[in-house]
């Protein structure tokens, strides 16, 4: 089993739709969680950190479920510009080793 | 505070030559990661370094590839005797808690 797993997609959604991605992690001792976004041929960029209480940034909501060992990203009112690959990142151990999921590709269509 | 700096941005090498990719982490960051991304594929972890130490090199090919992060100066990813299959984008990230990526080096082997 991979340490961090994501559905690779692609998720094809119309503009204005709400879409959710999940990411599961295998190590229950994981400490920190993040979502990154990568546009085609560009470097990944931090989208948001994921806190235990859940957090929201505009149209984006991230949640952590420690019991089931997954994090989620919800995007409301999808825009064409949201089309990208979304990467789940987990800090697996105290040595600050970050582990990336394989990414979920989102395509928002007019 | 400059971000993660990678150079060169583009590198062309003939088969059999050596490629040296440099990564200067963000100020205050002592952790560096190297990733490789082939066209149309996800990020693949290569190596994780702290100053003067290789922490995890489980993603590095056994031959021709090496990485270092000296006490002074940038981290270097070195590929000896390059082959066409080494053509890819190589991203470096540095972290304290969240990871920040450089813009990558696109290596083309001709």
């Amino acid at each position: 089993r991979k340490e961090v797993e994501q559905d690779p997609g692609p998720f094809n959604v119309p503009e204005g739709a709400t879409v959710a991605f999940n990411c599961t992690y295998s190590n229950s001792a994981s400490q920190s969680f993040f979502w990154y976004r990568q546009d085609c041929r560009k470097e990944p960029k931090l989208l948001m950190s994921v806190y235990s209480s859940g957090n929201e940034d505009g149209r984006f909501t991230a949640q952590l479920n420690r019991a089931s060992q997954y994090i989620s990203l919800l995007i409301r009112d999808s825009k064409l510009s949201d089309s990208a690959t979304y990467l789940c990142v987990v800090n697996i151990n105290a040595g600050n080793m970050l582990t990336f999921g394989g990414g979920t590709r989102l395509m928002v269509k007019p | 505070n400059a971000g993660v700096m990678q150079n060169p941005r583009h590198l062309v090498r003939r088969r059999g030559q050596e490629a040296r990719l440099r990564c200067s982490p963000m100020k205050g960051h002592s952790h560096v990661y190297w990733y490789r991304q082939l066209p149309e594929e996800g990020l693949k972890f290569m190596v994780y370094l702290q100053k003067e130490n290789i922490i995890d090199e489980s993603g590095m090919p056994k031959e021709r590839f090496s990485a270092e992060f000296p006490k002074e100066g940038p981290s270097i990813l070195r590929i000896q005797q390059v082959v066409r299959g080494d053509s890819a984008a190589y991203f470096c990230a540095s972290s304290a808690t969240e990871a920040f990526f450089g813009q990558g080096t696109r290596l083309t082997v001709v």
Side-chain angles (χ1 to χ4, degrees), chain B residues 50-64:
Chain B
Q50 294 179 15
K51 282 283 188 182
E52 300 185 274
N53 287 306
I54 297 174
I55 306 302
D56 184 339
E57 55 181 348
S58 57
M60 289 278 271
K62 294 284 188 286
E63 297 176 344
R64 303 188 297 108

Side-chain angles (χ1 to χ4, degrees), chain A residues 12-18 78 107-110:
Chain A
N12 295 300
V13 302
E15 265 187 296
T18 295
S78 300
M107 299 181 69
V108 181
K109 300 194 180 293

Side-chain angles (χ1 to χ4, degrees), chain A residues 34 36 38 41-46 49 51 87 91 95-102 105, chain B residues 31 33 35 37 40 42-43 45 48 50 56 91 95-103 106:
Chain A
F34 310 94
Y36 281 73
Q38 185 177 27
R41 298 182 64 78
K42 299 278 187 68
E43 76 274 22
K45 293 187 177 176
L46 179 66
S49 302
Y51 304 119
L87 301 161
N91 184 330
N96 204 38
M97 173 69 183
L98 295 175
T99 300
F100 282 72
R105 190 171 173 197
Chain B
H31 306 268
Y33 305 79
Y35 292 85
Q37 189 167 35
E40 305 302 321
L43 287 169
F45 167 77
Y48 167 44
Q50 294 179 15
D56 184 339
F91 290 102
S95 74
T97 49
E98 302 104 344
F100 294 90
F101 282 81
Q103 291 182 299
R106 277 155 185 80

Side-chain angles (χ1 to χ4, degrees), chain A residues 2-6 23-36 48 50 64 66 69-72 87-102, chain B residues 33 35 97-99:
Chain A
K2 291 181 183 177
E3 290 182 338
V4 180
E5 287 202 75
Q6 296 181 250
C23 165
T24 58
Y25 60 94
S26 60
N27 190 325
S28 60
S30 298
Q31 301 291 320
S32 308
F33 309 88
F34 310 94
W35 284 102
Y36 281 73
M48 56 200 306
V50 186
L64 167 64
R66 283 194 184 274
Q69 294 182 203
Y70 74 85
I71 65 172
S72 64
L87 301 161
C88 165
V89 181
V90 177
N91 184 330
I92 293 288
N93 58 39
N96 204 38
M97 173 69 183
L98 295 175
T99 300
F100 282 72
Chain B
Y33 305 79
Y35 292 85
T97 49
E98 302 104 344

Side-chain angles (χ1 to χ4, degrees), chain B residues 8-106:
Chain B
R9 292 286 307 279
H10 300 275
L11 181 61
V12 179
R13 283 287 178 265
R14 295 185 186 280
R15 281 180 294 172
Q17 290 185 319
E18 179 180 288
R20 281 186 175 238
L21 288 60
R22 295 176 194 77
C23 170
S24 295
M26 287 181 72
K27 188 176 180 181
H29 286 188
S30 59
H31 306 268
V32 167
Y33 305 79
W34 284 95
Y35 292 85
R36 176 163 65 175
Q37 189 167 35
L38 295 169
E40 305 302 321
E41 294 190 11
L43 287 169
K44 300 290 186 206
F45 167 77
M46 298 183 76
V47 62
Y48 167 44
L49 309 104
Q50 294 179 15
K51 282 283 188 182
E52 300 185 274
N53 287 306
I54 297 174
I55 306 302
D56 184 339
E57 55 181 348
S58 57
M60 289 278 271
K62 294 284 188 286
E63 297 176 344
R64 303 188 297 108
F65 284 72
S66 62
E68 62 176 7
F69 189 15
K71 186 176 181 181
E72 302 292 337
S75 176
I76 306 287
L77 178 68
R78 183 181 175 204
I79 311 172
Q80 295 177 291
Q81 299 173 336
V82 296
V83 300
R84 287 226 170 100
D86 296 333
S87 296
Y90 292 83
F91 290 102
C92 162
S94 75
S95 74
T97 49
E98 302 104 344
F100 294 90
F101 282 81
Q103 291 182 299
T105 294
R106 277 155 185 80

